[in-house]
Amino acid sequence: MSIETILACLDQKVILLTQIWDLTKQIEIRCMQDDIQLDDFLEQRGIFIARVNKCNDLIDRLTKELPAEQQERITQLLQRKLEDDDCKNKEEQRILMLSKECRAILQKASVLDHSARAKIRKQCDDLREKINQERRTEDHDGMFQNIK
């Protein structure tokens, strides 16, 4: 029963990671605009991340319930330490395939997230520079005087 549940969790994890990747793509696209409007994308992504963490916790708990030998085997598959040829059956092949798919989606989302963060950071730095420039050029009673 545990192997089937682990597979179901991995299937769900792929779906959730794909949703995270889609939201990250939308965030990255929005970050290309002059006025970044992220709406509730970050909140939605956070919800999906929490659900992925719940899947991970359940997979860990289910794996620990298995006999020691099978536990080690599943852990190796989840960590992609085995190859397709090392799999003993279709369940192991599926665990390995889903683990690889999760990793690939995470890597793609990570690249986009890094790009979006860099763009947000740049816009923040640009705005900070404009405020500092405004402070330097206006009299001491200006509206940006108290902002540091």
Side-chain angles (χ1 to χ4, degrees):
M1 171 73 173
S2 291
I3 298 297
E4 293 84 17
T5 308
I6 289 171
L7 284 166
C9 286
L10 286 169
D11 281 329
Q12 181 66 29
K13 190 173 165 181
V14 167
I15 292 167
L16 292 168
L17 289 172
T18 301
Q19 290 172 322
I20 290 168
W21 180 34
D22 289 342
L23 282 168
T24 305
K25 283 190 271 187
Q26 291 179 43
I27 290 167
E28 206 262 346
I29 288 168
R30 293 279 180 103
C31 287
M32 290 182 196
Q33 300 170 353
D34 290 337
D35 185 24
I36 298 174
Q37 300 281 329
L38 296 180
D39 298 328
D40 64 342
F41 292 148
L42 295 175
E43 184 179 323
Q44 288 177 35
R45 193 172 67 169
I47 291 168
F48 290 129
I49 290 169
R51 290 172 67 188
V52 166
N53 290 337
K54 286 181 182 180
C55 285
N56 289 336
D57 291 344
L58 182 55
I59 290 168
D60 288 343
R61 200 169 49 242
L62 292 169
T63 301
K64 288 177 183 168
E65 292 174 1
L66 297 170
E69 183 181 307
Q70 195 176 14
Q71 194 177 116
E72 176 64 25
R73 187 95 177 137
I74 297 300
T75 300
Q76 289 175 334
L77 291 166
L78 291 169
Q79 295 175 355
R80 299 160 317 279
K81 292 183 178 179
L82 299 175
E83 297 298 324
D84 292 329
D85 296 341
D86 299 325
C87 294
K88 294 179 181 178
N89 55 44
K90 291 199 181 293
E91 288 173 331
E92 285 190 359
Q93 289 173 335
R94 183 130 173 83
I95 290 170
L96 182 60
M97 189 235 4
L98 289 169
S99 296
K100 287 178 179 181
E101 192 172 347
C102 286
R103 179 72 178 160
I105 295 168
L106 269 173
Q107 287 176 330
K108 291 186 276 190
S110 177
V111 168
L112 289 176
D113 185 65
H114 181 73
S115 173
R117 285 176 189 264
K119 289 173 184 169
I120 291 171
R121 199 172 296 119
K122 182 178 179 344
Q123 187 178 55
C124 183
D125 291 345
D126 291 348
L127 288 172
R128 187 178 295 116
E129 181 55 37
K130 285 180 184 177
I131 289 170
N132 288 336
Q133 184 64 30
E134 193 63 32
R135 251 195 241 142
R136 287 189 286 267
T137 59
E138 69 182 18
D139 61 11
H140 294 292
D141 295 327
M143 70 186 248
F144 296 116
Q145 193 59 35
N146 293 331
I147 302 173
K148 295 189 183 197

